[in-house]
Amino acid sequence: PQILNIYGLGKLPFGRGHIGGENFFVRTLLGGWSLSGIFTYHSGNPLLIVASGCNAPSSGTCMPDINPNFTGSVRKNGSFGKGITAAHLNAISYLDSAAFQLPQTFALPAGATSKAVPITKIGSATRSGALNTWSPSSYGLNMSVRRSFNITPERVKFLFQADCFNVPNKVTFGGINTTWSSASSSTFGQVTSASGNRDFQFSGR
């Protein structure tokens, strides 16, 4: 529910009329540079927990039941992605499968035929965000520095720009396995994807 975007643009305080303006090397090397950046933050989304093997007019998926005998937090093993590497994503479960159970099956009414089979497994878990299950939050910072150089006194200029994407080199984990199959499922709650790496881009015109 929280999304934050912060934008900024400014000139570095060096060069003529600023810090070190009387020094030739400061004016030449540090003067005229501008810095800009974009910071974004997303708090994540509620996870959709579904149960496999529902018994309905046609096979499909539904919500599992919340296990009334379960206590504590459904989250386990720390934050999503803790203790794993990009090469071994499907290794740790971060959601406790014991927090859920198979939806109860209701008896068919007397005289019911195969064409009148009701949905017998619905599940008591909420459609999204059951037991406060949310996907990982994410943030990123992109920054640029640029400077214009005079090739001729007035008309011809050269603009140099360096961009850095994902400055903090933050890895965001995702693809959380939210399909519940049993109270002993080993794949439920596993991280299946990771994204984010620091990249640089240089340009001149």
Side-chain angles (χ1 to χ4, degrees), residues 76-134:
K76 63 179 184 178
N77 295 323
S79 59
F80 286 113
K82 182 178 180 180
I84 64 175
T85 65
H88 301 87
L89 291 175
N90 303 308
I92 300 175
S93 177
Y94 299 93
L95 298 176
D96 196 336
S97 59
F100 303 94
Q101 65 184 21
L102 194 67
Q104 296 298 310
T105 301
F106 299 96
L108 297 179
T113 64
S114 59
K115 294 183 179 180
V117 176
I119 297 176
T120 59
K121 293 181 179 179
I122 300 174
S124 63
T126 56
R127 182 168 178 80
S128 62
L131 299 179
N132 198 29
T133 51
W134 288 72

Short mmCIF file of all heavy atoms in Angstrom, two decimals, residues 76-134:
data_model
loop_
_atom_site.label_atom_id
_atom_site.label_comp_id
_atom_site.label_asym_id
_atom_site.label_seq_id
_atom_site.Cartn_x
_atom_site.Cartn_y
_atom_site.Cartn_z
N LYS A 76 8.75 -17.70 8.70
CA LYS A 76 9.84 -18.41 9.36
C LYS A 76 11.13 -18.24 8.56
O LYS A 76 11.11 -17.78 7.40
CB LYS A 76 9.51 -19.89 9.51
CG LYS A 76 9.34 -20.64 8.19
CD LYS A 76 9.04 -22.11 8.45
CE LYS A 76 8.97 -22.90 7.14
NZ LYS A 76 8.73 -24.35 7.38
N ASN A 77 12.24 -18.58 9.17
CA ASN A 77 13.57 -18.52 8.54
C ASN A 77 13.99 -17.12 8.14
O ASN A 77 14.75 -16.94 7.18
CB ASN A 77 13.65 -19.47 7.34
CG ASN A 77 13.51 -20.92 7.74
OD1 ASN A 77 14.01 -21.33 8.78
ND2 ASN A 77 12.81 -21.70 6.93
N GLY A 78 13.46 -16.10 8.84
CA GLY A 78 13.89 -14.73 8.58
C GLY A 78 13.22 -14.10 7.39
O GLY A 78 12.19 -14.57 6.89
N SER A 79 13.82 -13.04 6.87
CA SER A 79 13.25 -12.32 5.73
C SER A 79 13.39 -13.14 4.46
O SER A 79 14.27 -14.00 4.35
CB SER A 79 13.95 -10.96 5.56
OG SER A 79 15.35 -11.13 5.36
N PHE A 80 12.53 -12.86 3.48
CA PHE A 80 12.58 -13.59 2.21
C PHE A 80 13.97 -13.47 1.58
O PHE A 80 14.50 -12.38 1.42
CB PHE A 80 11.54 -13.05 1.24
CG PHE A 80 10.13 -13.46 1.57
CD1 PHE A 80 9.20 -12.52 1.97
CD2 PHE A 80 9.73 -14.77 1.48
CE1 PHE A 80 7.89 -12.89 2.28
CE2 PHE A 80 8.43 -15.16 1.79
CZ PHE A 80 7.51 -14.21 2.19
N GLY A 81 14.55 -14.61 1.25
CA GLY A 81 15.86 -14.63 0.60
C GLY A 81 17.02 -14.78 1.55
O GLY A 81 18.15 -14.99 1.10
N LYS A 82 16.78 -14.68 2.86
CA LYS A 82 17.89 -14.79 3.80
C LYS A 82 18.48 -16.19 3.77
O LYS A 82 17.77 -17.19 3.84
CB LYS A 82 17.40 -14.47 5.22
CG LYS A 82 18.51 -14.51 6.27
CD LYS A 82 17.99 -14.15 7.64
CE LYS A 82 19.11 -14.20 8.68
NZ LYS A 82 18.62 -13.84 10.04
N GLY A 83 19.80 -16.27 3.66
CA GLY A 83 20.48 -17.56 3.71
C GLY A 83 20.60 -18.29 2.39
O GLY A 83 21.11 -19.40 2.36
N ILE A 84 20.15 -17.67 1.28
CA ILE A 84 20.27 -18.34 -0.01
C ILE A 84 21.08 -17.48 -0.97
O ILE A 84 21.32 -16.30 -0.72
CB ILE A 84 18.89 -18.64 -0.63
CG1 ILE A 84 18.13 -17.35 -0.94
CG2 ILE A 84 18.07 -19.53 0.27
CD1 ILE A 84 16.82 -17.57 -1.65
N THR A 85 21.51 -18.07 -2.05
CA THR A 85 22.22 -17.37 -3.11
C THR A 85 21.41 -17.44 -4.39
O THR A 85 20.45 -18.22 -4.49
CB THR A 85 23.61 -17.98 -3.35
OG1 THR A 85 23.44 -19.33 -3.84
CG2 THR A 85 24.42 -18.01 -2.05
N ALA A 86 21.80 -16.64 -5.37
CA ALA A 86 21.08 -16.63 -6.64
C ALA A 86 21.12 -17.99 -7.32
O ALA A 86 20.22 -18.34 -8.08
CB ALA A 86 21.65 -15.56 -7.56
N ALA A 87 22.16 -18.76 -7.05
CA ALA A 87 22.30 -20.08 -7.67
C ALA A 87 21.48 -21.15 -6.96
O ALA A 87 21.30 -22.24 -7.48
CB ALA A 87 23.77 -20.49 -7.70
N HIS A 88 20.98 -20.84 -5.76
CA HIS A 88 20.21 -21.83 -4.99
C HIS A 88 18.98 -21.17 -4.41
O HIS A 88 18.82 -21.05 -3.20
CB HIS A 88 21.08 -22.43 -3.87
CG HIS A 88 22.31 -23.09 -4.35
ND1 HIS A 88 23.51 -22.42 -4.55
CD2 HIS A 88 22.56 -24.39 -4.70
CE1 HIS A 88 24.43 -23.27 -4.99
NE2 HIS A 88 23.88 -24.46 -5.09
N LEU A 89 18.08 -20.72 -5.30
CA LEU A 89 16.89 -20.02 -4.85
C LEU A 89 15.90 -20.97 -4.18
O LEU A 89 15.36 -20.68 -3.12
CB LEU A 89 16.22 -19.31 -6.04
CG LEU A 89 16.98 -18.12 -6.62
CD1 LEU A 89 16.26 -17.60 -7.85
CD2 LEU A 89 17.09 -17.01 -5.59
N ASN A 90 15.64 -22.12 -4.79
CA ASN A 90 14.63 -23.05 -4.28
C ASN A 90 15.25 -23.94 -3.20
O ASN A 90 15.42 -25.14 -3.38
CB ASN A 90 14.07 -23.90 -5.42
CG ASN A 90 13.47 -23.03 -6.52
OD1 ASN A 90 12.65 -22.18 -6.24
ND2 ASN A 90 13.90 -23.25 -7.75
N ALA A 91 15.57 -23.33 -2.07
CA ALA A 91 16.26 -24.09 -1.03
C ALA A 91 15.64 -23.94 0.34
O ALA A 91 15.72 -24.86 1.15
CB ALA A 91 17.74 -23.66 -0.97
N ILE A 92 15.00 -22.81 0.63
CA ILE A 92 14.48 -22.54 1.96
C ILE A 92 13.04 -22.08 1.86
O ILE A 92 12.70 -21.28 1.00
CB ILE A 92 15.33 -21.45 2.67
CG1 ILE A 92 16.79 -21.91 2.80
CG2 ILE A 92 14.76 -21.14 4.05
CD1 ILE A 92 17.70 -20.86 3.37
N SER A 93 12.20 -22.58 2.76
CA SER A 93 10.81 -22.14 2.82
C SER A 93 10.67 -21.05 3.87
O SER A 93 11.18 -21.18 4.98
CB SER A 93 9.90 -23.32 3.18
OG SER A 93 8.56 -22.89 3.31
N TYR A 94 9.99 -19.96 3.50
CA TYR A 94 9.82 -18.82 4.40
C TYR A 94 8.39 -18.68 4.90
O TYR A 94 8.08 -17.72 5.60
CB TYR A 94 10.27 -17.54 3.70
CG TYR A 94 11.73 -17.57 3.30
CD1 TYR A 94 12.12 -17.99 2.04
CD2 TYR A 94 12.72 -17.21 4.21
CE1 TYR A 94 13.45 -18.06 1.68
CE2 TYR A 94 14.05 -17.28 3.87
CZ TYR A 94 14.42 -17.69 2.61
OH TYR A 94 15.75 -17.76 2.27
N LEU A 95 7.53 -19.62 4.56
CA LEU A 95 6.16 -19.66 5.06
C LEU A 95 5.91 -21.02 5.67
O LEU A 95 6.28 -22.05 5.09
CB LEU A 95 5.14 -19.38 3.94
CG LEU A 95 5.22 -18.02 3.25
CD1 LEU A 95 4.22 -17.95 2.10
CD2 LEU A 95 4.97 -16.89 4.25
N ASP A 96 5.28 -21.05 6.82
CA ASP A 96 5.03 -22.31 7.53
C ASP A 96 3.76 -22.96 6.99
O ASP A 96 2.65 -22.44 7.16
CB ASP A 96 4.88 -22.02 9.03
CG ASP A 96 5.00 -23.29 9.87
OD1 ASP A 96 4.75 -24.37 9.32
OD2 ASP A 96 5.35 -23.17 11.05
N SER A 97 3.92 -24.10 6.33
CA SER A 97 2.76 -24.79 5.74
C SER A 97 1.81 -25.33 6.80
O SER A 97 0.64 -25.59 6.52
CB SER A 97 3.24 -25.93 4.83
OG SER A 97 4.03 -26.86 5.56
N ALA A 98 2.27 -25.47 8.05
CA ALA A 98 1.42 -25.98 9.12
C ALA A 98 0.35 -24.97 9.54
O ALA A 98 -0.57 -25.31 10.28
CB ALA A 98 2.26 -26.36 10.33
N ALA A 99 0.47 -23.72 9.06
CA ALA A 99 -0.52 -22.70 9.39
C ALA A 99 -1.83 -22.90 8.65
O ALA A 99 -2.83 -22.26 8.96
CB ALA A 99 0.05 -21.31 9.09
N PHE A 100 -1.82 -23.80 7.65
CA PHE A 100 -3.02 -24.03 6.85
C PHE A 100 -3.36 -25.52 6.86
O PHE A 100 -2.54 -26.37 7.22
CB PHE A 100 -2.81 -23.55 5.41
CG PHE A 100 -2.43 -22.10 5.32
CD1 PHE A 100 -1.09 -21.71 5.25
CD2 PHE A 100 -3.41 -21.10 5.31
CE1 PHE A 100 -0.74 -20.38 5.17
CE2 PHE A 100 -3.05 -19.77 5.24
CZ PHE A 100 -1.72 -19.41 5.17
N GLN A 101 -4.56 -25.84 6.44
CA GLN A 101 -4.99 -27.22 6.34
C GLN A 101 -5.95 -27.38 5.18
O GLN A 101 -6.45 -26.39 4.64
CB GLN A 101 -5.65 -27.68 7.65
CG GLN A 101 -6.95 -26.98 7.98
CD GLN A 101 -7.51 -27.40 9.32
OE1 GLN A 101 -6.79 -27.90 10.17
NE2 GLN A 101 -8.81 -27.19 9.52
N LEU A 102 -6.19 -28.64 4.81
CA LEU A 102 -7.06 -28.93 3.67
C LEU A 102 -8.48 -28.45 3.96
O LEU A 102 -9.00 -28.68 5.06
CB LEU A 102 -7.06 -30.43 3.40
CG LEU A 102 -7.65 -30.88 2.06
CD1 LEU A 102 -6.78 -30.41 0.91
CD2 LEU A 102 -7.78 -32.41 2.04
N PRO A 103 -9.12 -27.78 3.03
CA PRO A 103 -10.51 -27.35 3.25
C PRO A 103 -11.42 -28.53 3.54
O PRO A 103 -11.24 -29.62 2.99
CB PRO A 103 -10.88 -26.67 1.93
CG PRO A 103 -9.58 -26.26 1.33
CD PRO A 103 -8.59 -27.32 1.74
N GLN A 104 -12.37 -28.31 4.42
CA GLN A 104 -13.28 -29.39 4.81
C GLN A 104 -14.19 -29.78 3.65
O GLN A 104 -14.64 -28.93 2.87
CB GLN A 104 -14.12 -28.95 6.00
CG GLN A 104 -13.31 -28.67 7.26
CD GLN A 104 -12.59 -29.91 7.76
OE1 GLN A 104 -13.22 -30.96 7.89
NE2 GLN A 104 -11.31 -29.79 8.00
N THR A 105 -14.46 -31.07 3.53
CA THR A 105 -15.36 -31.59 2.50
C THR A 105 -16.74 -31.81 3.11
O THR A 105 -16.86 -32.46 4.15
CB THR A 105 -14.82 -32.91 1.93
OG1 THR A 105 -13.55 -32.69 1.36
CG2 THR A 105 -15.75 -33.43 0.85
N PHE A 106 -17.73 -31.25 2.49
CA PHE A 106 -19.10 -31.37 3.01
C PHE A 106 -19.82 -32.52 2.30
O PHE A 106 -19.64 -32.73 1.10
CB PHE A 106 -19.87 -30.06 2.82
CG PHE A 106 -19.24 -28.90 3.53
CD1 PHE A 106 -18.38 -28.05 2.85
CD2 PHE A 106 -19.48 -28.67 4.88
CE1 PHE A 106 -17.79 -26.98 3.50
CE2 PHE A 106 -18.88 -27.61 5.53
CZ PHE A 106 -18.03 -26.76 4.85
N ALA A 107 -20.65 -33.21 3.05
CA ALA A 107 -21.41 -34.33 2.48
C ALA A 107 -22.43 -33.81 1.48
O ALA A 107 -23.03 -32.75 1.66
CB ALA A 107 -22.11 -35.10 3.60
N LEU A 108 -22.62 -34.56 0.40
CA LEU A 108 -23.61 -34.19 -0.61
C LEU A 108 -25.02 -34.41 -0.07
O LEU A 108 -25.25 -35.33 0.72
CB LEU A 108 -23.40 -35.02 -1.87
CG LEU A 108 -22.07 -34.84 -2.61
CD1 LEU A 108 -22.04 -35.76 -3.82
CD2 LEU A 108 -21.88 -33.40 -3.03
N PRO A 109 -25.95 -33.57 -0.46
CA PRO A 109 -27.34 -33.78 -0.01
C PRO A 109 -27.90 -35.06 -0.61
O PRO A 109 -27.46 -35.54 -1.65
CB PRO A 109 -28.05 -32.54 -0.55
CG PRO A 109 -27.21 -32.07 -1.70
CD PRO A 109 -25.80 -32.39 -1.33
N ALA A 110 -28.88 -35.62 0.07
CA ALA A 110 -29.49 -36.87 -0.38
C ALA A 110 -30.10 -36.68 -1.77
O ALA A 110 -30.75 -35.68 -2.06
CB ALA A 110 -30.58 -37.30 0.61
N GLY A 111 -29.83 -37.63 -2.64
CA GLY A 111 -30.39 -37.57 -3.98
C GLY A 111 -29.58 -36.74 -4.96
O GLY A 111 -30.00 -36.57 -6.11
N ALA A 112 -28.45 -36.21 -4.53
CA ALA A 112 -27.64 -35.38 -5.44
C ALA A 112 -27.04 -36.25 -6.53
O ALA A 112 -26.65 -37.40 -6.29
CB ALA A 112 -26.55 -34.66 -4.67
N THR A 113 -26.98 -35.72 -7.74
CA THR A 113 -26.38 -36.44 -8.85
C THR A 113 -25.04 -35.82 -9.18
O THR A 113 -24.67 -34.77 -8.67
CB THR A 113 -27.29 -36.37 -10.09
OG1 THR A 113 -27.38 -34.99 -10.51
CG2 THR A 113 -28.69 -36.87 -9.75
N SER A 114 -24.29 -36.45 -10.07
CA SER A 114 -22.97 -35.95 -10.43
C SER A 114 -23.05 -34.57 -11.08
O SER A 114 -22.10 -33.81 -11.04
CB SER A 114 -22.28 -36.94 -11.38
OG SER A 114 -23.07 -37.11 -12.56
N LYS A 115 -24.21 -34.25 -11.70
CA LYS A 115 -24.36 -32.95 -12.33
C LYS A 115 -24.74 -31.86 -11.33
O LYS A 115 -24.79 -30.70 -11.68
CB LYS A 115 -25.41 -33.02 -13.44
CG LYS A 115 -25.00 -33.91 -14.61
CD LYS A 115 -26.06 -33.88 -15.70
CE LYS A 115 -25.66 -34.75 -16.89
NZ LYS A 115 -26.69 -34.72 -17.96
N ALA A 116 -25.00 -32.27 -10.10
CA ALA A 116 -25.41 -31.30 -9.09
C ALA A 116 -24.41 -31.26 -7.94
O ALA A 116 -24.76 -30.91 -6.82
CB ALA A 116 -26.80 -31.62 -8.57
N VAL A 117 -23.15 -31.64 -8.22
CA VAL A 117 -22.14 -31.64 -7.16
C VAL A 117 -21.77 -30.21 -6.82
O VAL A 117 -21.33 -29.44 -7.69
CB VAL A 117 -20.88 -32.40 -7.61
CG1 VAL A 117 -19.79 -32.31 -6.54
CG2 VAL A 117 -21.23 -33.86 -7.90
N PRO A 118 -21.95 -29.79 -5.56
CA PRO A 118 -21.59 -28.42 -5.20
C PRO A 118 -20.08 -28.28 -5.01
O PRO A 118 -19.36 -29.28 -4.98
CB PRO A 118 -22.32 -28.22 -3.87
CG PRO A 118 -22.33 -29.59 -3.27
CD PRO A 118 -22.49 -30.54 -4.44
N ILE A 119 -19.61 -27.06 -4.91
CA ILE A 119 -18.20 -26.85 -4.56
C ILE A 119 -18.03 -27.29 -3.11
O ILE A 119 -18.63 -26.73 -2.21
CB ILE A 119 -17.80 -25.37 -4.72
CG1 ILE A 119 -17.95 -24.95 -6.18
CG2 ILE A 119 -16.38 -25.14 -4.24
CD1 ILE A 119 -17.67 -23.50 -6.42
N THR A 120 -17.25 -28.32 -2.88
CA THR A 120 -17.16 -28.89 -1.55
C THR A 120 -15.92 -28.42 -0.78
O THR A 120 -15.80 -28.71 0.39
CB THR A 120 -17.14 -30.42 -1.63
OG1 THR A 120 -16.01 -30.82 -2.42
CG2 THR A 120 -18.42 -30.94 -2.25
N LYS A 121 -15.02 -27.73 -1.44
CA LYS A 121 -13.84 -27.22 -0.76
C LYS A 121 -13.66 -25.75 -1.11
O LYS A 121 -13.36 -25.42 -2.25
CB LYS A 121 -12.60 -28.02 -1.14
CG LYS A 121 -12.62 -29.46 -0.64
CD LYS A 121 -11.35 -30.20 -1.02
CE LYS A 121 -11.37 -31.63 -0.49
NZ LYS A 121 -10.15 -32.38 -0.87
N ILE A 122 -13.88 -24.90 -0.15
CA ILE A 122 -13.79 -23.46 -0.40
C ILE A 122 -12.59 -22.88 0.34
O ILE A 122 -11.77 -22.19 -0.23
CB ILE A 122 -15.09 -22.74 0.03
CG1 ILE A 122 -16.27 -23.31 -0.75
CG2 ILE A 122 -14.97 -21.24 -0.18
CD1 ILE A 122 -17.61 -22.77 -0.32
N GLY A 123 -12.46 -23.16 1.61
CA GLY A 123 -11.34 -22.67 2.40
C GLY A 123 -11.70 -21.41 3.16
O GLY A 123 -12.42 -20.54 2.66
N SER A 124 -11.18 -21.30 4.38
CA SER A 124 -11.50 -20.15 5.23
C SER A 124 -10.47 -19.04 5.14
O SER A 124 -10.67 -17.96 5.71
CB SER A 124 -11.62 -20.62 6.68
OG SER A 124 -10.37 -21.13 7.15
N ALA A 125 -9.34 -19.27 4.48
CA ALA A 125 -8.32 -18.23 4.37
C ALA A 125 -8.82 -17.10 3.47
O ALA A 125 -9.54 -17.34 2.50
CB ALA A 125 -7.03 -18.81 3.81
N THR A 126 -8.43 -15.88 3.79
CA THR A 126 -8.80 -14.75 2.94
C THR A 126 -8.13 -14.89 1.59
O THR A 126 -7.10 -15.54 1.45
CB THR A 126 -8.38 -13.43 3.59
OG1 THR A 126 -6.98 -13.46 3.86
CG2 THR A 126 -9.13 -13.21 4.90
N ARG A 127 -8.72 -14.25 0.59
CA ARG A 127 -8.21 -14.41 -0.77
C ARG A 127 -6.79 -13.89 -0.91
O ARG A 127 -6.00 -14.45 -1.68
CB ARG A 127 -9.14 -13.71 -1.76
CG ARG A 127 -8.70 -13.86 -3.21
CD ARG A 127 -9.77 -13.41 -4.17
NE ARG A 127 -9.32 -13.54 -5.54
CZ ARG A 127 -9.31 -14.67 -6.24
NH1 ARG A 127 -9.74 -15.77 -5.68
NH2 ARG A 127 -8.88 -14.70 -7.49
N SER A 128 -6.44 -12.84 -0.22
CA SER A 128 -5.08 -12.31 -0.31
C SER A 128 -4.65 -11.82 1.07
O SER A 128 -5.46 -11.38 1.87
CB SER A 128 -4.99 -11.17 -1.32
OG SER A 128 -5.83 -10.09 -0.95
N GLY A 129 -3.35 -11.95 1.34
CA GLY A 129 -2.81 -11.49 2.61
C GLY A 129 -3.22 -12.31 3.81
O GLY A 129 -3.26 -11.79 4.93
N ALA A 130 -3.50 -13.60 3.63
CA ALA A 130 -3.91 -14.43 4.76
C ALA A 130 -2.81 -14.49 5.81
O ALA A 130 -1.63 -14.67 5.49
CB ALA A 130 -4.24 -15.84 4.27
N LEU A 131 -3.20 -14.32 7.08
CA LEU A 131 -2.26 -14.34 8.21
C LEU A 131 -1.10 -13.36 8.00
O LEU A 131 0.05 -13.62 8.34
CB LEU A 131 -1.73 -15.76 8.44
CG LEU A 131 -2.77 -16.82 8.79
CD1 LEU A 131 -2.13 -18.19 8.99
CD2 LEU A 131 -3.53 -16.42 10.04
N ASN A 132 -1.43 -12.23 7.37
CA ASN A 132 -0.48 -11.14 7.18
C ASN A 132 0.74 -11.58 6.35
O ASN A 132 1.89 -11.29 6.70
CB ASN A 132 -0.01 -10.58 8.52
CG ASN A 132 0.62 -9.20 8.39
OD1 ASN A 132 0.27 -8.44 7.50
ND2 ASN A 132 1.55 -8.89 9.28
N THR A 133 0.47 -12.29 5.27
CA THR A 133 1.55 -12.71 4.36
C THR A 133 1.67 -11.71 3.22
O THR A 133 0.71 -11.46 2.48
CB THR A 133 1.25 -14.11 3.78
OG1 THR A 133 -0.08 -14.13 3.24
CG2 THR A 133 1.34 -15.16 4.87
N TRP A 134 2.86 -11.12 3.10
CA TRP A 134 3.13 -10.09 2.10
C TRP A 134 4.40 -10.41 1.35
O TRP A 134 5.32 -11.05 1.88
CB TRP A 134 3.27 -8.71 2.75
CG TRP A 134 1.97 -8.14 3.25
CD1 TRP A 134 1.24 -8.56 4.33
CD2 TRP A 134 1.23 -7.09 2.66
NE1 TRP A 134 0.10 -7.82 4.45
CE2 TRP A 134 0.06 -6.90 3.45
CE3 TRP A 134 1.44 -6.26 1.55
CZ2 TRP A 134 -0.88 -5.93 3.15
CZ3 TRP A 134 0.50 -5.29 1.26
CH2 TRP A 134 -0.65 -5.13 2.06
#
